[in-house]
Amino acid sequence: MPEKDDFQQTAAAATTDITMPDPETVTENEAEEFARKLISRAATLNGVKINRETFLRTELKKHCPEADVDRAIETSPAEAGVPASAIDAIARSAVDFETGKCAGLSFAAGIPGGAALAATVPADLVQYFAHVMRVEQKLAYIYGWQSFLNDNDEMDDETTMQLVLLMGVMLGVGGAAGAVNKFAANVAQAGVQKAIQRQALTKYAFYPIMKKVLRVVGVNLTKQTFAKTASKVVPLIGGVISGGLTYATFKPAAEHLRTYLRSLP
């Protein structure tokens, strides 16, 4: 994971061409496109990708040193006999870690005020989504999903859309949970070939649900970001409030996803 300042600079550089839509005049299509741009840029930031094998090896060694780590990587922690209590502990630790990182980044991004405000908003949001993607990967891996990354160990458009689907679960978007159920049953937890994985979203007609998630995210961003950016106008106080708002929104959503993934067969 990059140092905080490096992460902020990367996000700022990745969002120079992204501007906030006017919440008074924005259309649903414009809001959807705004969310798509933010999430796509978030997926390109250094440190967003979580290597499944490295993550499982590190966390299982720490929380369950007696576990058969190789089998857990080959199959899943549960199939390798890792106790549910250890799996839950790793998942909660991941939520707490990413929540703290996200709130810290938001605090730093909240410090500029006045004229500097408009430039920080897209970068702040991209950082938020980067941490959403990180916690999604970690929770999915500990609860039995296979790697989101492609054969080149990279995030492609298909990977990003899978993570958008999980965002829908985090935010309670209608239809997202049912789509994830199908995806998990058919692809994510199965030992299928990568070629089949890359076709999964189109094959199972999940694309409309993902568009719905993007639209909901985009509309919420254009409305709610106004309240958040208002807290940033006074530089130091703004940083404190901004970080608090991030904590208040990020952790409950991540916990919702954790309990959901835990409940999948």
Side-chain angles (χ1 to χ4, degrees):
M1 176 69 185
E3 293 297 324
K4 181 162 56 179
D5 287 345
D6 291 341
F7 204 80
Q8 285 179 234
Q9 290 169 7
T10 305
T15 55
T16 54
D17 62 334
I18 300 179
T19 56
M20 278 287 300
D22 184 341
E24 299 296 327
T25 61
V26 64
T27 66
E28 287 191 343
N29 286 338
E30 289 170 339
E32 178 186 325
E33 178 62 14
F34 178 58
R36 187 195 64 76
K37 283 183 179 179
L38 291 174
I39 293 168
S40 296
R41 300 298 170 82
T44 69
L45 297 187
N46 293 331
V48 171
K49 296 181 296 184
I50 303 295
N51 181 280
R52 178 178 177 272
E53 179 175 345
T54 301
F55 171 70
L56 290 179
R57 283 193 185 281
T58 301
E59 296 302 316
L60 290 173
K61 182 178 180 181
K62 185 191 310 181
H63 292 271
C64 191
E66 70 277 11
D68 184 343
V69 178
D70 288 335
R71 187 178 175 212
I73 292 169
E74 183 180 350
T75 57
S76 72
E79 287 190 43
V82 177
S85 58
I87 292 174
D88 289 341
I90 293 171
R92 290 192 179 97
S93 175
V95 170
D96 289 342
F97 180 84
E98 296 300 331
T99 299
K101 285 287 187 179
C102 186
L105 290 165
S106 184
F107 171 84
I111 291 177
L117 176 61
T120 68
V121 174
D124 194 8
L125 293 172
V126 163
Q127 290 173 85
Y128 180 90
F129 285 119
H131 285 285
V132 167
M133 290 179 173
R134 283 176 56 86
V135 81
E136 287 174 336
Q137 292 170 84
K138 290 180 176 182
L139 292 178
Y141 295 158
I142 196 60
Y143 285 117
W145 288 38
Q146 299 303 305
S147 179
F148 286 97
L149 307 182
N150 63 21
D151 291 333
N152 296 320
D153 204 31
E154 296 289 341
M155 281 189 176
D156 55 17
D157 289 343
E158 194 84 1
T159 298
T160 303
M161 288 298 99
Q162 292 170 20
L163 295 174
V164 168
L165 197 60
L166 290 179
M167 270 180 218
V169 176
M170 292 178 72
L171 298 172
V173 176
V180 171
N181 282 344
K182 294 178 183 177
F183 180 71
N186 290 285
V187 179
Q189 296 175 335
V192 297
Q193 294 179 354
K194 285 284 185 178
I196 299 177
Q197 277 191 311
R198 310 327 298 168
Q199 300 171 13
L201 297 178
T202 302
K203 182 177 179 181
Y204 294 104
F206 296 152
Y207 187 67
I209 299 296
M210 292 172 193
K211 283 182 65 66
K212 182 178 180 181
V213 173
L214 288 173
R215 183 159 296 189
V216 169
V217 168
V219 169
N220 285 343
L221 284 177
T222 54
K223 292 180 179 179
Q224 296 177 8
T225 301
F226 241 21
K228 186 174 179 180
T229 54
S231 75
K232 292 184 176 183
V233 175
V234 180
L236 187 57
I237 296 175
V240 176
I241 297 174
S242 179
L245 282 172
T246 302
Y247 184 91
T249 56
F250 186 95
K251 185 161 187 177
E255 271 295 311
H256 182 70
L257 179 63
R258 185 190 71 78
T259 56
Y260 173 79
L261 291 175
R262 188 184 192 277
S263 71
L264 292 176

